[in-house]
Amino acid sequence: MKSFTRRSEGNGTCIVSMTNANFVHLHVHSNFSFKDATPHPQDLIKAAAYYEMPAVALTDHSTLAGAIRFYRAAQGSGVRPIIGTEIELASGHHLTLLAENLAGYSNLCRLLSAIRLAQPGVTRPVTSWETLAPLAENLICLSGCAHSRLSQDLIQRRQEAARTFLQQLASVFPNSCYVELENPLLPYTPTLLAALTSLAQELKLPLVATNNVHYLRRRDHPVRDLLVCMGANISLRQPHPYRHANDQRYFKSSRAMSQLFAAYPQAIANTLAIAERCQLELPVGEYRFPDFALPAGQTATSYLRQLCQQALEKRYGTNCPEAQQRLEHELGIIKDLGFCEYFLVVWDIVNFARQEGIRCTGRGSAAGSLVAYLLGITAVDPLEYDLLFERFLNPERKGMPDIDLDFDSSRRDEVLAYVYSKYPPAHVAMVGTVNTISARSALREVAKAMDIDKNEVDRLARFLPRLAADRIEKAIATLPELEGQFPQGEPWDSLLRFCQAINDFPRHLSVHLGGVVIGRHPLTDLVPLEWSAKGVVITQYNKDDIEYLGLVKMDLLGLRILSAIDETVRRLEQDDIHVDLEALPFDDPAVYKLLRSTKTVGLFQLESPGMRELLGKLQPTNFSDIVANISLMRPGPMQANMVSPFIRRRHGLEPVSYAHPCLEPILASTYGVIIYQEQVLQVAHALAGFTLGQADLLRRYMTHDRSPEEMAGLEAEFVAGASNRGVEVDIAKQVFKQLAAFASYGFNKAHAATFGLIGYYTAYLKAHYPAYYLTALLNHQPMGFYPPRVLLHEARLWGIPIYPLDINASQPEFTLENGGIRVGLRALQGLTEEHIATICAVRKERPFSSLADFRWRVHLPRKVMRNLVRIGAFAAFGTVPDLLQQLTIYEQPKSRLPQGQCLLPLPPEAHAPASSPAPDLKRAISTELELTGLYITGHPLSLFRSLLTSYEAIDSRRLRTCADGQKVRVAGIIVSRQMPPTRSKQRIIFLTIEDEYGLIDVTVLPQEQKKYAQVALGCALLLVEGTVRKTGPESISVTAARLFDLRRLA
Amino acid sequence: MSKRYQEPIELKLSGNRKPEAFVWRGRNYKIKDVIRHWTVNGDWWQKESRRLHAIVTAKRWSEYGQYEIVYEAKRRQWYLYRVYD
């Protein structure tokens, strides 16, 4: 039996004494050696524990990306984690480096950062002695695996080269250099081992045995082999230097390793000696806030107070005791938790944005903080909307505050540039995130490596919904649209098995959406950095790792809707219409009329099919209704049956009652239904006397899986508190049950209010200035629920004329023109920014007068030119067929011309447009969809209308007049497909289709999916036969009985 | 120089599971030592067998020779693979 004791030296060193241990794996790869190894880092700890090894190292290729989760998995496991890496020198030598302590770990971070930052985009970067030597202290170096240059030199009898290398290594790592012996049982191994030991003896260097682990079990070798082929983009039939000839590089037991190195017992013993030296303890549990430059004579606490007090008096006046009391309460907690500096850092960033006129808003539970509101971080008054500070910062639970900031997407880079300029560059980086292998990509890549037909796999992958790679098999077995589609037998069975095996494997690092880490000290003291594919410096650690190390991460997100709002307001300003959104009252009748009509395409958070249906049922009349709408439109409330009672009570169809009078002020606004997490806190506080902090802990407890015993304990505590306040036990139990049922599904009201505010702004702008707003929306795609073609059609339905792309009139972006929307040049696929800039610059001199004039003055690639003609950009100069004919003539090579005739470039007056028939509508719509993704001239359904009439299909206008239960046929082009979780756990497909007059929502129930799922999920144009379902004054959908591919019927 | 074979043999193991002798064409070859051994996996995707190779010094009557024997995991069978001159 092993035993050990552990004590911290307080300087990043932790001493663990070991007894009865035999061997430690010191050269080990996890799947963070991307596509080169299979074990998850935490599984290595489990393997070491299983084999009773006291420690295990992680040495991925030039990265520490898996190191923190490896380290965390080791805590409490009895296995000590040794953090290291395998690097490669430019000479081809591999080195295994292990951190002895915190100083060594910091050197690893700095070394890897230096290596990666010098070689962006290189999967296996190399380094030099010059980079390595200064950072060698407190690192133990193993001379490298059998793949390295050292081994090759010895196998090929280049003794002198091998000797020189080892001598240099020993000088860089004095007393910390070991000659690494690896025995993968290959033909050359005995020769190599003999040569290495001989050289080590000559140079008096100690030996160490490793197994260069790449997988846990021998049988995992094929998966690893496959991953290598995927990474190298080759098939299994092709050789590659990274592929192993056998399956010996697995996590062998101590016994197996001892047998393997029976002739070199010291090499085995030295693994323990090295592990004994490696005693790293990471400095976790303390926050490292960045240094904030304070005004002279101020502390962080006093400065924060000053800013808040000034803002409070400005917003609430000097006589508002409620606000003052709340402020004191919050500042007290913030100070006690040590977060004053954090708030100042966030305030500074927001302050910069506001000064530069960059729209920004804080989201999430931070909106519950008066301090955040006063600092301008959030925009919703927490006092007015009854938002709770303890839901954001809980004094009972020490945790980093998390304030996410949304900025105008088009100007977020300015904010980032400010952060980088404000703090030393070495102290700032974007946070990395790990992209993992998904079902679709797994299927395709594994199939490619296995040489399976690409077309067949593509066809299948198209049907796969977004799911994890290990759910493919279940999806194939259960989804009706995949029934009979997936072939049986080999190689398909192996394909699925491999997909399952690589589920959730890390694929590569990329930039987290908005995470920025700012350190008090250079980040590379604790975190290795590298370049992302987008050319941004990122941490090799993800946000969880960053938080674990106590570093401050901020989410500085770009929100395109803020860009659209900003553009709308600016365009209005240009036309002398002044709109101050921050000063808007929340009682504009036009806004609520729009929301109740459910014509909310383009509105932030209020446009999805489910949201439109809910708006139609709920019929909002005030801002609280918007907040409730956003909170209810989620799987949780629907599954917990919160929505129906809320709506029925709101419309007086069901009585509202409260278990206890003290609940009425808390639940009156939501008709007795618990919707918000804040309400759970308030109920626990009011009824059972919990502090708000304790109440939030209770809420959190309830949202995680608890055993019946644990829940019984919570209930007892709750009931006892309520009894102390004179509440009857039965009532207390009833309320506790209600809380327990809804706690998991409650939404953060502060978050909903923040989003509701933006939603309100967008509703206001659309209601009053639809042309401006929809133009701006089109200019900031992609965003929102619907594609641009739906937005453009929405504009048409609002009576806004749509002007097609025109070579003289179109700007790069969508613009307003004569009360309508002019399609911008950017809408045309293949037209680059360079082309657009040229067109705009040239026509500034004078507008284009003909196709020939354009060709004379602007030179574009042939295909782009043809597309411009086809889309009708030159419609002022002729019809598309005529112009294409002209173009064909221009494109003729000179050799085909009669002698003496020169065609290119032509004088502008050379060709006059010939007269031709009116443009073909079908061709126009088809071309527009092909080249822009929009329908400009008309809607595709108009081409089918006469056919649809013969099928007695009605349009979306008539659908609104139908009665509940009426049988109908409708048709449309697919706009969206959703399959959200449902109360019954069965899959329901929600479709939205669009015809010339609007959107139609269609529901396909499980029974109909058996026959029609393929049509529902695979076809673009649908004819639906079904029954009308009316669930509210403006809430109408069709429950499908049959679905048809409209193109097949035509 | 060597000569290639692919003939099944019977391998005998000692009490501590070390190779002791093999029988080839009815004749017994006593193994003196294992010079070296290695494993290869072959084309696992073609269901090729994993193979363990060993070069042994073995004696028949009074003559010593070097022999390469191979174990095919799929067939669970030992073979004489090569005889070295």
Side-chain angles (χ1 to χ4, degrees):
Chain A
M1 288 289 286
K2 67 179 186 309
S3 66
F4 50 87
T5 55
R6 182 185 174 97
R7 68 177 190 279
S8 174
E9 295 291 279
N11 59 352
T13 305
C14 169
I15 303 296
V16 175
S17 307
M18 300 174 290
T19 59
N20 298 332
N22 186 283
F23 172 81
V24 171
H25 277 291
L26 295 173
H27 186 158
V28 182
H29 292 276
S30 75
N31 49 21
F32 280 88
S33 286
F34 301 116
K35 290 185 178 165
D36 187 53
T38 62
H40 293 288
Q42 47 273 35
D43 291 342
L44 293 169
I45 299 293
K46 286 182 194 165
Y50 176 79
Y51 287 120
E52 296 192 342
M53 293 174 183
V56 64
L58 178 63
T59 56
D60 285 317
H61 293 294
S62 299
T63 185
L64 296 182
I68 299 300
R69 57 190 77 197
F70 173 75
Y71 183 89
R72 291 179 81 169
Q75 305 310 302
S77 69
V79 175
R80 183 154 32 75
I82 299 173
I83 291 181
T85 186
E86 181 178 1
I87 62 168
E88 190 176 338
L89 296 174
S91 52
H93 293 95
H94 293 202
L95 298 177
T96 312
L97 301 176
L98 306 170
E100 287 191 79
N101 48 33
L102 187 58
Y105 168 81
S106 295
N107 275 345
L108 267 186
C109 294
R110 292 181 193 117
L111 175 63
L112 290 174
S113 303
I115 294 172
R116 289 272 180 192
L117 292 176
Q119 294 163 83
V122 177
T123 314
R124 298 257 184 122
V126 296
T127 190
S128 64
W129 292 112
E130 289 72 33
T131 305
L132 174 61
L135 297 167
E137 232 180 309
N138 295 296
L139 293 177
I140 295 175
C141 178
L142 316 185
S143 63
C145 60
H147 280 294
S148 86
R149 174 75 186 276
L150 172 66
S151 302
Q152 297 309 309
D153 282 343
L154 286 172
I155 289 169
Q156 286 164 34
R157 302 180 199 270
R158 289 193 290 264
Q159 294 293 111
E160 199 45 48
R163 184 179 293 105
T164 306
F165 167 72
L166 278 179
Q167 282 169 330
Q168 187 164 15
L169 196 67
S171 73
V172 171
F173 295 93
N175 302 316
S176 296
C177 174
Y178 289 77
V179 173
E180 186 174 343
L181 303 183
E182 187 197 337
N183 186 357
L185 291 178
L186 288 170
Y188 61 78
T189 312
T191 312
L192 178 60
L193 289 179
L196 279 169
T197 49
S198 170
L199 198 51
Q201 200 172 14
E202 179 195 324
L203 298 176
K204 296 186 176 37
L205 293 173
L207 302 171
V208 66
T210 74
N211 204 42
N212 195 6
V213 175
H214 281 71
Y215 30 96
L216 283 179
R217 293 159 296 238
R218 219 171 62 194
R219 65 174 185 262
D220 295 334
H221 159 73
V223 178
R224 186 259 170 193
D225 202 29
L226 197 76
L227 278 175
V228 172
C229 291
M230 286 164 63
N233 204 20
I234 58 172
S235 83
L236 285 164
R237 289 181 294 109
Q238 294 171 268
H240 192 274
Y242 293 164
R243 296 180 72 182
H244 296 159
N246 65 18
D247 55 4
Q248 292 301 304
R249 288 181 172 96
Y250 63 96
F251 201 100
K252 292 185 177 176
S253 66
S254 301
R255 186 157 167 253
M257 291 301 292
S258 297
Q259 281 174 350
L260 208 53
F261 288 92
Y264 311 100
Q266 196 54 43
I268 293 288
N270 279 343
T271 64
L272 298 180
I274 290 172
E276 182 79 33
R277 284 174 64 176
C278 295
Q279 306 266 359
L280 166 66
E281 192 166 314
L282 289 174
V284 300
E286 45 181 290
Y287 296 119
R288 292 164 224 290
F289 293 117
D291 248 330
F292 185 79
L294 293 162
Q298 292 266 25
T299 63
T301 309
S302 65
Y303 190 47
L304 181 65
R305 170 176 287 282
Q306 179 190 306
L307 291 171
C308 290
Q309 192 63 43
Q310 283 169 355
L312 185 143
E313 285 166 14
K314 200 170 164 192
R315 282 190 202 255
Y316 299 100
T318 51
N319 186 22
C320 184
E322 188 197 354
Q324 192 66 52
Q325 198 178 6
R326 174 73 173 252
L327 178 63
E328 296 306 325
H329 172 68
E330 290 192 15
L331 284 175
I333 293 175
I334 291 170
K335 183 185 170 207
D336 287 344
L337 292 175
F339 293 151
C340 292
E341 272 170 321
Y342 175 81
F343 276 82
L344 289 173
V345 170
V346 177
W347 164 77
D348 178 60
I349 295 172
V350 170
N351 195 44
F352 163 80
R354 294 208 187 282
Q355 282 174 349
E356 297 297 310
I358 302 172
R359 286 193 184 269
C360 72
T361 175
R363 63 158 78 180
S365 56
S369 164
L370 180 65
V371 166
Y373 178 62
L374 294 174
L375 292 176
I377 295 169
T378 56
V380 178
D381 186 338
L383 298 179
E384 188 176 343
Y385 291 98
D386 206 19
L387 307 177
L388 299 183
F389 180 68
E390 281 74 6
R391 176 60 192 86
F392 165 57
L393 260 191
N394 189 341
E396 314 275 350
R397 192 181 83 95
K398 184 116 177 161
M400 184 82 79
D402 191 13
I403 301 180
D404 297 344
L405 298 173
D406 288 318
F407 295 92
D408 172 345
S409 178
S410 61
R411 301 187 65 186
R412 189 184 74 122
D413 284 349
E414 293 173 49
V415 179
L416 286 174
Y418 171 73
V419 172
Y420 275 93
S421 69
K422 171 96 178 177
Y423 299 94
H427 295 220
V428 185
M430 302 296 290
V431 175
T433 190
V434 182
N435 289 79
T436 54
I437 293 176
S438 70
R440 274 190 187 161
S441 62
L443 200 69
R444 288 193 168 104
E445 288 181 71
V446 173
K448 184 173 180 183
M450 293 176 69
D451 268 335
I452 296 175
D453 180 63
K454 178 184 181 301
N455 293 328
E456 186 65 16
V457 173
D458 280 346
R459 188 180 64 78
L460 293 164
R462 255 196 318 117
F463 281 107
L464 284 174
R466 204 179 282 280
L467 41 72
D470 67 343
R471 302 237 186 102
I472 299 176
E473 210 164 351
K474 190 177 176 191
I476 288 165
T478 56
L479 295 180
E481 62 272 19
L482 291 178
E483 195 181 325
Q485 297 289 319
F486 212 85
Q488 307 288 323
E490 291 296 337
W492 305 98
D493 292 346
S494 289
L495 173 63
L496 290 181
R497 212 172 43 248
F498 285 127
C499 287
Q500 210 154 340
I502 62 174
N503 174 55
D504 216 23
F505 271 34
R507 175 193 284 284
H508 57 78
L509 295 182
S510 64
V511 189
H512 182 272
L513 215 51
V516 178
V517 58
I518 310 173
R520 185 182 285 273
H521 305 290
L523 291 176
T524 51
D525 284 358
L526 276 182
V527 178
L529 305 176
E530 65 178 59
W531 289 102
S532 73
K534 287 188 181 171
V536 167
V537 174
I538 57 171
T539 61
Q540 287 187 351
Y541 296 155
N542 69 9
K543 64 181 182 65
D544 295 328
D545 300 338
I546 293 291
E547 271 183 43
Y548 182 71
L549 292 172
L551 289 165
V552 174
K553 171 200 73 92
M554 287 187 206
D555 277 320
L556 307 180
L557 303 155
L559 202 56
R560 288 178 194 246
I561 194 65
L562 292 180
S563 311
I565 290 172
D566 192 65
E567 181 180 321
T568 307
V569 171
R570 277 190 293 104
R571 284 185 188 274
L572 287 166
E573 287 282 345
Q574 283 165 9
D575 291 346
D576 251 342
I577 303 168
H578 306 289
V579 172
D580 183 357
L581 290 175
E582 276 83 22
L584 281 182
F586 289 138
D587 58 358
D588 186 335
V591 167
Y592 297 104
K593 186 179 172 193
L594 173 63
L595 296 177
R596 288 192 296 270
S597 75
T598 75
K599 291 190 165 96
T600 55
V601 168
L603 300 195
F604 182 69
Q605 293 289 306
L606 298 169
E607 63 174 348
S608 71
M611 190 59 84
R612 285 187 288 106
E613 183 185 349
L614 189 55
L615 284 168
K617 289 181 194 174
L618 197 140
Q619 295 289 288
T621 57
N622 55 57
F623 186 69
S624 292
D625 286 342
I626 296 177
V627 176
N629 220 92
I630 289 172
S631 302
L632 286 169
M633 189 60 240
R634 285 164 41 251
M638 292 190 288
Q639 287 175 314
N641 197 25
M642 289 152 76
V643 181
S644 298
F646 181 88
I647 291 173
R648 282 201 302 272
R649 293 179 192 188
R650 190 189 178 325
H651 293 305
L653 300 174
E654 191 178 289
V656 179
S657 61
Y658 305 95
H660 190 277
C662 77
L663 300 184
E664 187 171 349
I666 301 168
L667 301 180
S669 62
T670 54
Y671 313 102
V673 178
I674 299 174
I675 298 180
Y676 304 119
Q677 294 169 349
E678 285 86 342
Q679 289 172 318
V680 173
L681 271 66
Q682 288 169 317
V683 166
H685 176 64
L687 200 78
F690 282 31
T691 64
L692 289 172
Q694 290 168 338
D696 190 52
L697 285 180
L698 174 72
R699 181 194 66 81
R700 283 174 195 273
Y701 259 66
M702 284 175 163
T703 56
H704 294 101
D705 277 329
R706 297 287 162 194
S707 66
E709 292 76 26
E710 283 170 318
M711 285 306 281
L714 287 174
E715 185 181 13
E717 210 179 317
F718 183 88
V719 169
S723 293
N724 285 343
R725 295 169 79 86
V727 177
E728 287 177 28
V729 170
D730 285 344
I731 289 176
K733 284 187 175 181
Q734 181 193 339
V735 172
F736 182 83
K737 270 196 176 44
Q738 204 181 1
L739 287 183
F742 289 120
S744 303
Y745 305 117
F747 197 57
N748 184 328
K749 188 180 182 185
H751 184 72
T754 307
F755 273 4
L757 186 66
I758 302 175
Y760 184 88
Y761 291 161
T762 59
Y764 177 87
L765 292 172
K766 187 181 181 189
H768 292 283
Y769 312 104
Y772 290 85
Y773 179 63
L774 288 166
T775 303
L777 273 189
L778 285 162
N779 283 330
H780 292 279
Q781 295 295 308
M783 72 153 142
F785 193 83
Y786 302 104
R789 58 184 165 88
V790 172
L791 296 174
L792 194 66
H793 190 58
E794 176 76 0
R796 187 180 287 112
L797 292 174
W798 276 64
I800 300 168
I802 308 298
Y803 303 121
L805 203 149
D806 182 276
I807 200 64
N808 279 317
S810 285
Q811 301 304 316
E813 66 280 2
F814 286 83
T815 47
L816 285 158
E817 187 181 305
N818 296 330
I821 298 177
R822 170 72 68 183
V823 176
L825 292 168
R826 285 195 186 110
L828 184 66
Q829 285 163 21
L831 200 60
T832 65
E833 288 297 323
E834 204 184 319
H835 299 152
I836 293 171
T838 305
I839 292 170
C840 293
V842 167
R843 76 181 180 200
K844 251 192 192 162
E845 299 164 30
R846 66 175 191 285
F848 302 110
S849 56
S850 67
L851 176 62
D853 178 42
F854 183 86
R855 288 275 285 142
W856 179 278
R857 294 158 66 190
V858 179
H859 301 289
L860 294 178
R862 182 168 176 268
K863 189 172 177 189
V864 175
M865 198 58 234
R866 292 188 77 78
N867 285 347
L868 271 172
V869 170
R870 289 174 64 209
I871 200 63
F874 298 95
F877 312 134
T879 63
V880 169
D882 286 347
L883 292 167
L884 281 175
Q885 205 175 16
Q886 286 181 39
L887 202 58
T888 307
I889 296 170
Y890 298 152
E891 288 162 356
Q892 293 286 345
K894 284 191 184 174
S895 59
R896 293 212 192 148
L897 298 174
Q899 198 166 11
Q901 209 170 40
C902 171
L903 267 186
L904 287 171
L906 281 175
E909 302 75 24
H911 287 269
S915 62
S916 292
D920 180 333
L921 182 65
K922 181 177 176 183
R923 185 168 48 185
I925 292 175
S926 167
T927 304
E928 285 160 6
L929 269 172
E930 178 202 336
L931 297 180
T932 67
L934 307 167
Y935 12 95
I936 302 166
T937 310
H939 195 282
L941 254 291
S942 60
L943 303 172
F944 293 89
R945 194 39 75 187
S946 52
L947 171 73
L948 290 169
T949 306
S950 73
Y951 278 102
E952 296 177 342
I954 60 173
D955 62 47
S956 51
R957 286 176 308 185
R958 267 193 63 194
L959 180 65
R960 286 179 171 267
T961 64
C962 293
D964 186 44
Q966 187 175 333
K967 298 246 184 295
V968 295
R969 286 195 186 125
V970 292
I973 187 169
I974 276 281
V975 167
S976 77
R977 296 181 177 96
Q978 285 181 290
M979 288 165 279
T982 59
R983 230 184 315 156
S984 62
K985 305 270 191 255
Q986 287 193 304
R987 186 180 77 164
I988 300 179
I989 302 175
F990 296 96
L991 305 173
T992 301
I993 58 177
E994 182 191 61
D995 69 9
E996 313 94 296
Y997 307 105
L999 300 177
I1000 301 169
D1001 295 317
V1002 174
T1003 308
V1004 187
L1005 298 174
Q1007 183 59 32
E1008 282 68 34
Q1009 285 176 40
K1010 287 179 187 158
K1011 212 171 163 192
Y1012 297 108
Q1014 278 194 29
V1015 175
L1017 298 176
C1019 300
L1021 283 163
L1022 290 179
L1023 171 68
V1024 179
E1025 181 180 285
T1027 312
V1028 172
R1029 187 170 158 264
K1030 269 191 152 164
T1031 52
E1034 291 290 337
S1035 181
I1036 185 165
S1037 64
V1038 174
T1039 305
R1042 298 199 291 171
L1043 294 105
F1044 304 95
D1045 182 352
L1046 190 53
R1047 273 197 275 233
R1048 290 205 173 181
L1049 295 177
Chain B
M1 293 291 288
S2 65
K3 191 171 175 187
R4 208 29 233 278
Y5 296 86
Q6 182 78 17
E7 293 181 16
I9 59 174
E10 181 197 340
L11 188 75
K12 294 178 182 174
L13 300 176
S14 66
N16 58 358
R17 300 197 63 76
K18 287 197 170 165
E20 193 174 59
F22 63 89
V23 178
W24 175 40
R25 291 182 180 175
R27 298 185 185 113
N28 195 59
Y29 291 76
K30 193 170 157 114
I31 294 174
K32 181 172 178 267
D33 56 37
V34 177
I35 298 169
R36 57 193 168 106
H37 67 281
W38 65 94
T39 71
V40 286
N41 274 52
D43 294 347
W44 57 265
W45 57 96
Q46 304 279 17
K47 310 288 184 216
E48 271 186 26
S49 179
R50 192 168 150 271
R51 300 193 306 277
L52 168 64
H53 291 245
I55 296 181
V56 300
T57 304
K59 184 169 89 168
R60 181 171 170 261
W61 301 120
S62 57
E63 278 185 22
Y64 281 98
Q66 285 192 350
Y67 303 84
E68 185 174 334
I69 57 177
V70 175
Y71 178 73
E72 281 203 15
K74 207 169 169 183
R75 294 183 187 175
R76 299 187 186 200
Q77 174 65 52
W78 283 93
Y79 295 88
L80 180 72
Y81 191 71
R82 200 185 297 271
V83 177
Y84 292 88
D85 291 340

